[in-house]
Amino acid sequence: MDPAGLLLFSSALFIAAASPGPGIAAIVGRVLGRGPKEAVAFSVGVALGDVVWLTFAILGLAALAQAFHEVFLVIKYAGAAYLLYIAYKIWTAPALARDVAANARPEHPAKLLFGGLALTLGNPKTIVFYLALLPTILDLTRITLLGYAELVAATVSVLGVVFAVYIVLAARARQLFTTPKAIRILNRTTGALLAGAAAAVASR
């Protein structure tokens, strides 16, 4: 597709993705609470949700999305409930040393991926970007199969960069908390952050 249009889309997506929202809050919360390893699969799920909404927008399925409004409501509340569950687990986690906490039983990657996917499919910020703002940036009626592939590649690349930066920064911040008291504060802060992300998704 037109390089200028692809650059415009990538720039707009970068600004939207980098601005804090439920997705970023959830990713940062996971890193602070459990470390960066589990955040990768969760971030893949979040990015996959963006690709789903991008596909809906290009295929002109906004009306279909409205028709299945109840389905997306279920997905939205499922994602919010998942975040609340993780928030509770981290809030109530014992203030263990980081080397002990690192050996805690990890969540299955598929569960993390579907958690991230559910969060994005119900995230109002993402929905507004693809179904409302994207048509003002690109002429979606002229997107070819190659253009769609380029947009998907741009989406994954931009989100990969944004998520990687947040994961690295959160992982470094996590290393500053070493004493039981500091870890307890971190757990409570992380739990509150995730609960806030869940509320933001469920209330819109």
Side-chain angles (χ1 to χ4, degrees):
M1 64 176 297
D2 178 19
L6 190 61
L7 179 61
L8 180 61
F9 166 76
S10 299
S11 301
L13 177 61
F14 179 84
I15 294 172
S19 61
I24 293 299
I27 291 171
V28 170
R30 291 208 66 90
V31 176
L32 292 177
R34 298 292 295 269
K37 290 184 179 180
E38 295 185 2
V40 175
F42 187 81
S43 299
V44 170
V46 173
L48 183 60
D50 274 67
V51 173
V52 170
W53 282 119
L54 170 66
T55 304
F56 266 58
I58 291 177
L59 294 179
L61 298 180
L64 181 62
Q66 290 295 330
F68 285 91
H69 178 66
E70 290 78 10
V71 174
F72 285 104
L73 275 180
V74 171
I75 294 174
K76 178 173 77 170
Y77 290 126
Y82 174 75
L83 285 181
L84 283 176
Y85 168 74
I86 298 300
Y88 170 77
K89 295 279 288 185
I90 294 176
W91 181 282
T92 59
L96 301 174
R98 282 301 175 214
D99 56 345
V100 176
N103 293 324
R105 183 178 180 181
E107 289 190 64
H108 194 281
K111 183 178 179 181
L112 293 166
L113 188 147
F114 283 113
L117 175 62
L119 172 65
T120 306
L121 291 181
N123 186 353
K125 176 184 172 184
T126 307
I127 296 171
V128 168
F129 177 81
Y130 287 105
L131 298 187
L133 296 181
L134 186 59
T136 68
I137 298 173
L138 300 174
D139 183 357
L140 300 181
T141 63
R142 303 181 65 179
I143 301 296
T144 63
L145 185 60
L146 176 59
Y148 169 72
E150 291 172 340
L151 287 172
V152 170
T155 299
V156 173
S157 300
V158 169
L159 294 180
V161 170
V162 172
F163 294 164
V165 170
Y166 273 104
I167 288 172
V168 169
L169 292 177
R172 290 185 177 181
R174 186 175 187 267
Q175 293 174 354
L176 300 177
F177 296 83
T178 56
T179 66
K181 181 179 180 180
I183 293 172
R184 186 177 297 107
I185 292 174
L186 177 63
N187 287 345
R188 298 294 171 81
T189 302
T190 301
L193 187 66
L194 289 171
V201 169
S203 64
R204 298 182 181 181

